Amino acid sequence: MAVGFDLLVLAELNPDVVVACDDEVRFGQVEQLVDRATITLGSSGAITASAAAAQGLRVALCGVVGDDAVATMTVDLLAAQGVDVSGVVRRSGSATGMTIVLTRTGGDRALLTFPGTMSELRTADLDLEVVASARHVHVSSLFLQRALQPDLGALFSSARAGGATTSIDPGWDPREQWTEVLALLPDVDVFLPNAAECAQIAAATGRAGGDPARVLHELGPSVAVKLGAEGARLVSAEGAWRVSIDPVEPVDTTGAGDNFDAGFLAGLLDGAAPAQALARGVASGTFAVGGWGGTGRLATREEALELAGALIVEQS
């Protein structure tokens, strides 16, 4: 595996089966027709990696897949996006994870996930020379990555000591306990939850009341909260900002938050001020909802910068 990447993503890895589903799903052996369905690259980490590569970053991903045909398809889809996949591990005798995405007009979704190998990435699977040489280390879907959690704090601490920055997109906690991430936050530079995740994790600190983003920022990281169609908000040591955008009619909202992550991190790695990086993240997420699946419409660097420059950034 080569070294010297701008962004190293430690990820769950799986394909998505995205199904347009405007009616209620009925059981009882009822056959229902849908307008559209496809198999595409899934997982928060893979989508973030792909979107960052589309914006010109040198990106590598480490994750675990099985030894099945689904694994081959998933890795090929990721490599086609320009992401280095030499750190992807194939686990013999295991099945690759998969997510069924039922998506409705207007952006609402239901996710049915078979974890498979998603949770099996361990620090022992990583090339530590690559970790040490990356400018930024990002972890996606932390609550799904149970094998990575025990040693992640030490890994982040080591990466930061070597000059790298770090981030986590926690994703939803299927067990709804939310506590595993709290001990990691002092070693995290950027925390990237959506609004619901931010509120749940802040509540898990036991600190009653207050702004959830500020509660989590007090534990160490800058907190960039994804607000869906309402844009995003950032609370950091430099200040707090809000970026909004005019509503757009989404084709599919799958992966919009992951595209935001990529745009925001690309901005920081390009040396942009936090507020401008926030706008670039919102711009990237906005382009994403114009495509089908998480990688159906990836913004280029030029596109993201142009739209970001037109957005209004307000102190929050």
Side-chain angles (χ1 to χ4, degrees):
M1 189 174 186
V3 296
F5 294 101
D6 296 311
L7 176 63
L8 174 62
V9 181
L10 310 183
E12 82 293 21
L13 188 54
N14 62 276
D16 282 347
V17 180
V18 186
V19 181
C21 185
D22 286 335
D23 297 322
E24 294 293 334
V25 176
R26 292 180 291 160
F27 287 84
Q29 302 185 53
V30 175
E31 183 167 5
Q32 298 169 253
L33 300 181
V34 299
D35 293 329
R36 187 172 185 180
T38 191
I39 300 177
T40 186
L41 185 62
S43 89
S44 172
I47 295 169
T48 296
S50 298
Q55 295 200 27
L57 270 62
R58 298 165 297 162
V59 184
L61 182 142
C62 296
V64 178
V65 292
D67 59 0
D68 48 17
V70 176
T72 300
M73 177 188 65
T74 303
V75 174
D76 287 349
L77 287 170
L78 182 59
Q81 299 292 346
V83 177
D84 187 295
V85 297
S86 55
V88 175
V89 175
R90 288 179 178 263
R91 195 79 82 212
S92 178
S94 297
T96 304
M98 185 179 301
T99 294
I100 312 300
V101 182
L102 306 180
T103 182
R104 291 179 170 177
T105 302
D108 193 16
R109 295 176 297 147
L111 308 179
L112 305 174
T113 294
F114 162 61
T117 54
M118 288 183 194
S119 64
E120 293 188 13
L121 181 66
R122 303 165 300 189
T123 55
D125 296 316
L126 306 178
D127 185 333
L128 296 183
E129 183 180 0
V130 174
V131 176
S133 69
R135 295 175 59 204
H136 186 92
V137 180
H138 175 71
V139 173
S140 59
S141 297
L142 175 77
F143 294 113
L144 295 181
Q145 295 208 65
R146 305 202 64 79
L148 189 63
Q149 290 175 15
D151 299 319
L152 188 55
L155 184 73
F156 271 177
S157 181
S158 176
R160 295 177 85 201
T165 47
T166 60
S167 59
I168 291 177
D169 183 331
W172 189 262
D173 182 359
R175 302 190 304 164
E176 299 191 28
Q177 295 183 356
W178 306 103
T179 53
E180 289 96 333
V181 70
L182 297 178
L184 298 171
L185 292 183
D187 287 308
V188 174
D189 290 289
V190 181
F191 193 52
L192 296 155
N194 65 28
E197 294 157 359
C198 186
Q200 295 284 354
I201 295 167
T205 66
R207 303 184 185 188
D211 175 359
R214 292 187 183 278
V215 168
L216 297 180
H217 171 56
E218 290 173 1
L219 298 180
S222 297
V223 180
V225 185
K226 294 168 280 191
L227 304 174
E230 297 180 5
R233 179 169 175 254
L234 174 66
V235 177
S236 72
E238 292 83 1
W241 297 272
R242 172 77 180 265
V243 175
S244 302
I245 192 165
D246 291 335
V248 297
E249 184 66 29
V251 173
D252 176 27
T253 61
T254 302
D258 308 316
N259 278 262
F260 169 91
D261 293 352
F264 182 72
L265 295 176
L268 294 180
L269 289 168
D270 276 354
Q276 280 63 54
L278 185 69
R280 184 165 168 181
V282 171
S284 301
T286 301
F287 276 104
V289 301
W292 185 251
T295 58
R297 179 62 173 96
L298 302 176
T300 65
R301 182 178 188 275
E302 293 73 21
E303 288 174 330
L305 287 172
E306 181 178 4
L307 179 55
L311 300 179
I312 297 175
V313 180
E314 301 176 304
Q315 289 190 327
S316 172

